[in-house]
Amino acid sequence: QQQVRQSPQSLTVWEGETAILNCSYEDSTFNYFPWYQQFPGEGPALLISISSVSDKKEDGRFTIFFNKREKKLSLHITDSQPGDSATYFCAARTGGNNKLTFGQGTVLSVIP
Amino acid sequence: GPKVLQIPSHQIIDMGQMVTLNCDPVSNHLYFYWYKQILGQQMEFLVNFYNGKVMEKSKLFKDQFSVERPDGSYFTLKIQPTALEDSAVYFCASSPGWTQDTQYFGPGTRLLVL
């Protein structure tokens, strides 16, 4: 049973477009949601995160939108660049616990 | 940013043998983790470790698995004996504190059990 689901599995956008990566979860006790970016041959690196008390978190071209009622969140990457081509993982964690539950990842390709 | 190193990057062994995966966490980090990713699947939590003790482990952390960090050296994951289903990428992570602290991941060790 997958606690965290991501869609689409892969996404291709043109340079300059906005990429939208989706994530949903089942466990209502999850209250912290980090997004990790992973390049081939490297480990995942924290990109941006949000807690369940917020509905939006912005950091430069990266924005998380969070809908607690629907247990959904999305990562928007505006003005996508070829250097953004990577695998993006949505993860979740409950309070008082440091165990991350990951989604399957979305492979993003940005075409110049 | 802070770097977590993992040694080796790849390991091929025969089923039944012992293997030790090594992790060099970020200095001054106190919490350490292992995650397992089978090809095509999501990364899954195995275990976390603090002050010389396992804090929490998942059902994937079989009796054949053990972790330790003797005297501040490498944080290790030992599998003895290995099984075919242990073939996966194993990611080590470390964090300075407990909740709300970023986990920094290493590049992974790709383990193939034949």
Side-chain angles (χ1 to χ4, degrees), chain A residues 36 43 46 93 98-100 103, chain B residues 33 42 45 98 100 103 106:
Chain A
Y36 280 82
L46 180 67
R93 188 175 72 194
N98 218 5
K99 175 181 69 176
L100 290 174
Chain B
Y33 316 82
Q42 69 260 52
F45 170 83
W98 189 236
Q100 303 300 321
Q103 291 182 28

Side-chain angles (χ1 to χ4, degrees), chain B residues 34-72:
Chain B
W34 284 104
Y35 290 82
K36 175 183 180 180
Q37 185 178 33
I38 295 173
L39 186 64
Q41 300 182 21
Q42 69 260 52
M43 204 178 323
E44 294 189 87
F45 170 83
L46 281 177
V47 66
N48 53 23
F49 187 86
Y50 167 72
N51 197 26
K53 298 176 184 175
V54 170
M55 302 294 289
E56 184 179 2
K57 58 186 180 181
S58 73
K59 62 180 185 297
L60 295 179
F61 194 79
K62 304 180 298 184
D63 291 342
Q64 298 89 328
F65 289 28
S66 63
V67 291
E68 64 176 355
R69 193 186 187 210
D71 298 326

Side-chain angles (χ1 to χ4, degrees), chain A residues 12-19 79-82 108-112:
Chain A
T12 300
V13 298
W14 294 100
E15 183 175 355
E17 289 186 332
T18 296
D79 188 25
S80 296
Q81 301 297 309
L108 174 66
S109 299
V110 181
I111 301 173

